[in-house]
Amino acid sequence: MNLVMPLINAQQGHQAIETAWKHSKSLLIAGHRLTLTVKPETRSDAQNRRLWAMLGEISDQVCWHGRHLSAEEWKHVFTASLKRQDVVPGLDGGFVVLGQSTSKMTKAEMSDLQTLMEAFGAERGVKFSAVE
């Protein structure tokens, strides 16, 4: 059994916690081990669509140090910049960015990432036609 409930406000959150307790109490009494996780809401579908539209347009319009990067490669560049991430030598040469998956980003982090991309695009004359 998986129980996932968005928490919108304090009153609804309290009700959701009571519901979670009602669902889990008998399982715990029966000796089952459960995990309760409370975390910030992750990115929305609209943010994800906008992200990939922006990455595609940057990929189409920007030459980066003599290379045209794919949308996926640009995603790594931007997430590394946003998170001030580090690089380590790769197993077979080159370097590996120690990054964060965008699918695990909160809505606020995704908003920050897209703001970074907009600023980058503005500096380089990128036309974002698909941006909502």
Side-chain angles (χ1 to χ4, degrees), residues 69-129:
L69 303 178
S70 69
E72 181 73 25
E73 290 167 329
W74 275 114
K75 182 181 77 156
H76 295 296
V77 170
F78 285 114
T79 57
S81 178
L82 179 70
K83 294 298 184 175
R84 303 280 188 243
Q85 292 163 335
D86 202 357
V87 296
V88 296
L91 298 177
D92 298 322
F95 292 93
V96 177
V97 176
L98 305 175
Q100 177 188 0
S101 169
T102 55
S103 65
K104 292 183 177 37
M105 285 186 174
T106 64
K107 286 185 173 185
E109 289 171 324
M110 183 58 67
S111 179
D112 290 344
L113 178 65
Q114 292 178 14
T115 299
L116 172 65
M117 293 168 63
E118 289 169 340
F120 175 88
E123 291 172 358
R124 287 158 183 82
V126 173
K127 305 290 187 240
F128 291 114
S129 61

Side-chain angles (χ1 to χ4, degrees), residues 2-47:
N2 275 346
L3 183 62
V4 177
M5 297 178 287
L7 304 178
I8 309 298
N9 58 49
Q11 181 180 359
Q12 183 272 333
H14 184 261
Q15 292 169 346
I17 290 170
E18 286 181 346
T19 299
W21 174 243
K22 288 175 187 174
H23 279 86
S24 61
K25 181 178 179 181
S26 62
L27 293 168
L28 291 167
I29 290 171
H32 295 278
R33 296 177 65 127
L34 305 175
T35 301
L36 175 66
T37 303
V38 177
K39 62 180 183 168
E41 191 173 34
T42 56
R43 70 180 184 188
S44 69
D45 289 340
Q47 284 180 311

